[in-house]
Amino acid sequence: SLWQRTQGKRMKPSPLLKVVAWTAGTLVSVLLLAVLLIALLGWNWLRVPLARYTLEKTGRVLQIEGDLTAKFGWPVLRLHAAGVQFANPAWAQERQMLAAQGVEVSVDLSQLLVRKLAFPEVRLDHAVVFLERSADGRKSWLLDLQQQDEDARIQIGRIALNQGTLGYDDEAQKTRIRSELSTTKVTASAQVTDLTFTATGQFKGLALKAQGSGGPVLALRDTAQPYPLKAEVALGRTQVNVNGTVTNLLALDAVDMHMTLKGDSLEQLYPLLGIALPATRAYSTEGHLRRTGNTWRFEQFSGRVGSSDLAGFVQVVLGGKRPMLTADLRSQRLALADLGPVIGAHPTQAPAAIAQGQAPARVLPDVPFHTERWGSVDADVQLRAKTIARAKALPLEDMQVHLKMQDAVLTLTPIEFGFAGGQLTAQITLDGRGRTIQARAQVRARKLLLAQLFPTVALTQSSLGELNGEFDLTGSGNSVGRMLATANGKLGLVVSGGQISRLLMEKAGLHIWEIVTLSLTGDKQVKLRCAVADFDVKQGNMQANALVFDTEVTTLFGSGSIDLAHEQLDLVLKPRTKNTSPLALRSPIHVRGSFAKPTVGVDQGRVALRAAGALVLGNLRLPHRPAVTGFATAIGWLAQIGLFVLLGLLASPSG
């Protein structure tokens, strides 16, 4: 510099300048050497050092048997290699992770400078890819020596395939999938191509079969361009058809698809979704599936579960302690039998099956709940049914249920039924946090009409009066049957005021004369003073404290017990006549047997003795008065006919 010359001093180079000059010289030398090697040998000279570097970093062999070429660009460098093989780790079942006739990769140089390997796009020609996860959690696609570092993976944005095979094995998840992929022309001008695929194997132990098509380039990490996808999948007994778009195939950032879904039970979706759903009858549904951020939503859907229709929406929000499921479901016609599997009933335990004698020995639902799955989801579900298809003997009209699941505690608050012209309201809590469910059920019956309470009994159709009652039970067990078998609490029912069929009460008192008379002249109504049923429940045994049905004609006093654990009845109803009957076969009425096959009968010995008295009356030698003799003879015949009819009816379940 001028200043230095004027000072007559010589400038000494600084250490920093020496380093910069040495580095620049080295880079220029390396660049010149690389240019010279490329000019003399092409890019193939890189195959050996690239294989050596790969072996050192991953412990696996990389072979490039064909030519290696490159096309420079910034920030993307394109490399093409022919005859490429990259080995799997030694523990894997398949020898090669990748074998392809041709591989073209785009290398992001800006990421390489910060020691990250990123391929914006990869193109594979006639490739075979096998990915595997070991029982101890190692993943073959992680490139560290132990295959456990989640950061030691190649970031791939898009993949284009021209004929290929993809395999995936996961021993711990009982998963083994083999898929064939190919690119096909879909227009006559061959300007547009499509990727088609088929897949077979098993997923989480369930048989898998799938086929479909998509865009020619798999958008694995592309967050800007939705990827078109159409697929038909059979997983076990579940079938799924989808048609729409997916953004970012690996993370599913956004989904917009039309979906149809059908299977034997919603419970079978657990391996696919990881979310506990109730057991149901066979179902089918069709609607729109969307995902935005952490929210999945199946909306505007309609379908059937068993013979019930169902519509509404289901939404799942991810990202919390566990998924949060929200649903609003509507049914125009809900079949009561379709709710059986939800509460753990066998399919054959429907009322129709019981009526046909096909029911098993036990009636109370005994299929255990899968409480180990309850912690997989929190839920808030509303279900409303406008009408209920049910057996004629069960006068249900509509239903509304609000279900919540929080920290493996299931609550139904409330369950509301229109029942016999009144209302049944229940609050149920099932605590599934332990090995055994702790349950509580509180049920209230309000303003149930006697005329509608027994719709199949003709003699009650003109009855008046309202029934009110409630019960509060606690129990433990993993099925409804076990909960009731261990139940403790109280049950009470009260009917006050009203009227009831006189013929019904005369039959209960076995008043033959009145039964015949009313059958000939027509039934009448008598005042119903009150009816009370009060039971204590201890360890599944219902013991009657009070069981009374009081009318102007007859009062029935009951006693006995109901064994919920063994489903056995042992009740006795003793009629007490208030008016003297010319002919009465007075006897206690016994209600016994199992819930599935109850029997109602009388003390046949006592009835036979009383009937014998009636027969004697029919054969008495009275003074020769035609009217009296005819009257006595008629009584005798009626007694005999009534005896056999009543014994037959009361000894049978239908009686």
Side-chain angles (χ1 to χ4, degrees), residues 127-388:
V128 178
V129 179
F130 283 106
L131 306 176
E132 189 170 343
R133 183 173 182 174
S134 67
D136 60 5
R138 290 178 291 178
K139 302 173 183 177
S140 66
W141 58 91
L142 298 180
L143 301 182
D144 61 306
L145 293 175
Q146 286 76 38
Q147 297 85 49
Q148 293 181 331
D149 184 0
E150 292 293 335
D151 293 328
R153 66 173 73 204
I154 299 174
Q155 301 293 324
I156 299 176
R158 299 178 300 276
I159 293 182
L161 297 102
N162 178 24
Q163 305 292 122
T165 298
L166 175 63
Y168 176 72
D169 291 346
D170 188 334
E171 180 181 352
Q173 293 292 323
K174 299 180 181 179
T175 297
R176 180 180 175 85
I177 302 172
R178 296 294 180 266
S179 180
E180 299 292 332
L181 306 97
S182 62
T183 302
T184 58
K185 300 174 182 178
V186 296
T187 65
S189 62
Q191 297 299 314
V192 180
T193 59
D194 208 358
L195 179 70
T196 61
F197 64 88
T198 60
T200 58
Q202 66 174 11
F203 178 77
K204 295 187 177 180
L206 299 175
L208 171 69
K209 187 175 182 180
Q211 63 179 11
S213 61
V217 178
L218 295 171
L220 299 184
R221 298 181 183 276
D222 192 337
T223 59
Q225 184 65 36
Y227 178 76
L229 179 63
K230 182 178 181 180
E232 299 176 5
V233 182
L235 182 63
R237 302 282 293 176
T238 302
Q239 296 183 18
V240 186
N241 292 352
V242 294
N243 188 1
T245 61
V246 177
T247 303
N248 190 347
L249 282 172
L250 291 181
L252 302 178
D253 287 340
V255 174
D256 188 355
M257 288 186 162
H258 181 268
M259 182 175 75
T260 61
L261 181 68
K262 63 180 181 179
D264 289 346
S265 172
L266 288 172
E267 186 181 35
Q268 295 174 1
L269 293 176
Y270 180 76
L272 181 62
L273 304 179
I275 292 176
L277 295 174
T280 65
R281 293 191 168 189
Y283 68 92
S284 63
T285 183
E286 180 177 3
H288 207 92
L289 179 66
R290 298 180 184 273
R291 181 181 184 179
T292 305
N294 288 332
T295 301
W296 288 85
R297 187 178 177 93
F298 187 44
E299 59 189 10
Q300 300 174 8
F301 80 83
S302 60
R304 304 196 70 81
V305 176
S307 58
S308 305
D309 66 274
L310 206 61
F313 79 87
V314 178
Q315 176 177 289
V316 177
V317 178
L318 307 175
K321 183 179 179 181
R322 59 180 65 87
M324 179 65 196
L325 184 149
T326 306
D328 192 348
L329 308 175
R330 299 286 188 274
S331 177
Q332 294 297 314
R333 183 180 182 275
L334 180 68
L336 189 64
D338 294 331
L339 293 177
V342 177
I343 61 171
H346 292 283
T348 55
Q349 287 179 309
I354 295 174
Q356 297 170 8
Q358 300 173 352
R362 297 183 67 85
V363 172
L364 296 178
D366 60 356
V367 177
F369 295 106
H370 292 296
T371 56
E372 69 276 7
R373 298 178 179 178
W374 286 12
S376 66
V377 64
D378 290 334
D380 189 332
V381 178
Q382 294 270 5
L383 171 61
R384 295 178 177 86
K386 190 173 182 180
T387 61
I388 295 180

Side-chain angles (χ1 to χ4, degrees), residues 466-490:
E466 293 180 351
L467 181 146
N468 295 278
E470 60 184 56
F471 70 77
D472 189 343
L473 298 177
T474 61
S476 61
N478 289 337
S479 70
V480 173
R482 286 305 306 160
M483 293 172 195
L484 291 174
T486 60
N488 295 288
K490 293 186 68 66

Side-chain angles (χ1 to χ4, degrees), residues 12 36 64 67 79 94 176 189 205 223 228 230-231 260 278 283 320 373 419 431 441 446 503 515 526 568 603 613 641:
K12 296 181 180 180
L36 179 61
I64 302 176
D67 290 334
L79 296 175
E94 299 290 342
R176 180 180 175 85
S189 62
T223 59
K230 182 178 181 180
T260 61
Y283 68 92
R373 298 178 179 178
F419 187 73
D431 188 340
R446 291 292 181 266
L503 179 57
I515 292 172
V526 295
Q568 293 292 315
D603 188 332
I641 295 171

